[in-house]
Amino acid sequence: MFKKDISAGAKSKVKSSVQRAIRTKVVETYPLLAPHIDELIPKKSQLDLLKLPDRVSLYALENEALFWQHMDDPLIPHLRVVHAFPTCFPRIGIDRGAIRFVLSGATLMAPGLTSAGGRLPEADAQLQEGDVVVIEAEGKEEACLVGQLRMGTEDIKEKKKGVVMDSGHYLGDGLWKLTID
């Protein structure tokens, strides 16, 4: 989605009622982020909305990107937020062979998760289709991709092939390089 360098379009202030709704939505979607919500989006701060290409909305605070949303999809955290609060998001891992493809913007495929280096959650913590998930690379400390699953983890384990994630926000993409003035 953000393969090419992008430039922000119109920048506008978010009304306080909308900002409260965003805070609530963030806590609903990511319950582990609840203790950090005042640190992430303080109540008295002013959130900005930036329009990006392909009908993407970017929410920023003090020129720092926080969340992005494609049309009516869920709010997806920026990778800098994921790096700041690493334990607050569901995670799966890819093997070493998939790293270069993911970092070049390719579609994430199931074999990268089901091979020896891949990591999927246990049966009691399954993720469903449409859940927002953070992708970590084998042998690396930081997350490299965040996006929405197209297939539940149970299906991934059963089929072992197919598209897992179409598009997302990865290290070095246009959203990562975007500067907000």
Side-chain angles (χ1 to χ4, degrees):
M1 181 174 284
F2 303 110
K3 283 185 182 180
K4 297 179 180 159
D5 288 345
I6 55 175
S7 58
K11 181 177 179 181
S12 59
K13 305 278 185 204
V14 174
K15 293 192 323 187
S16 60
S17 59
V18 175
Q19 186 167 329
R20 280 193 305 274
I22 290 170
R23 281 173 53 101
T24 305
K25 193 74 169 165
V26 167
V27 171
E28 284 175 13
T29 311
Y30 311 105
L32 295 174
L33 205 55
H36 308 287
I37 193 68
D38 286 329
E39 182 181 343
L40 188 62
I41 308 172
K43 287 183 180 177
K44 296 291 181 184
S45 63
Q46 179 60 57
L47 208 58
D48 293 322
L49 169 65
L50 286 89
K51 296 290 184 181
L52 302 179
D54 300 326
R55 296 183 180 161
V56 175
S57 301
L58 177 68
Y59 294 99
L61 179 68
E62 297 170 6
N63 295 334
E64 178 109 9
L66 297 178
F67 294 93
W68 60 276
Q69 183 176 30
H70 180 257
M71 296 172 72
D72 291 331
D73 290 347
L75 286 169
I76 300 176
H78 192 280
L79 273 170
R80 289 191 176 96
V81 173
V82 173
H83 293 164
F85 304 100
T87 59
C88 298
F89 304 97
R91 298 174 167 268
I92 56 179
I94 56 172
D95 65 0
R96 290 184 185 277
I99 296 172
R100 68 185 176 121
F101 297 107
V102 165
L103 293 181
S104 65
T107 299
L108 179 62
M109 304 298 282
L113 299 167
T114 57
S115 63
R119 193 178 71 249
L120 289 168
E122 299 300 322
D124 60 339
Q126 293 297 321
L127 298 168
Q128 305 303 317
E129 179 181 345
D131 286 353
V132 175
V133 67
V134 172
I135 309 293
E136 292 179 325
E138 177 186 11
K140 307 294 181 196
E141 293 178 19
E142 300 290 343
C144 62
L145 172 69
V146 61
Q148 199 172 8
L149 289 176
R150 273 198 43 201
M151 181 187 306
T153 52
E154 197 63 42
D155 291 341
I156 296 169
K157 289 178 185 176
E158 279 177 26
K159 296 177 184 172
K160 295 189 188 303
K161 61 182 178 180
V163 176
V164 175
M165 189 182 294
D166 283 349
S167 59
H169 165 41
Y170 58 92
L171 287 173
D173 68 0
L175 185 58
W176 179 263
K177 295 175 185 173
L178 179 69
T179 54
I180 303 168
D181 299 340

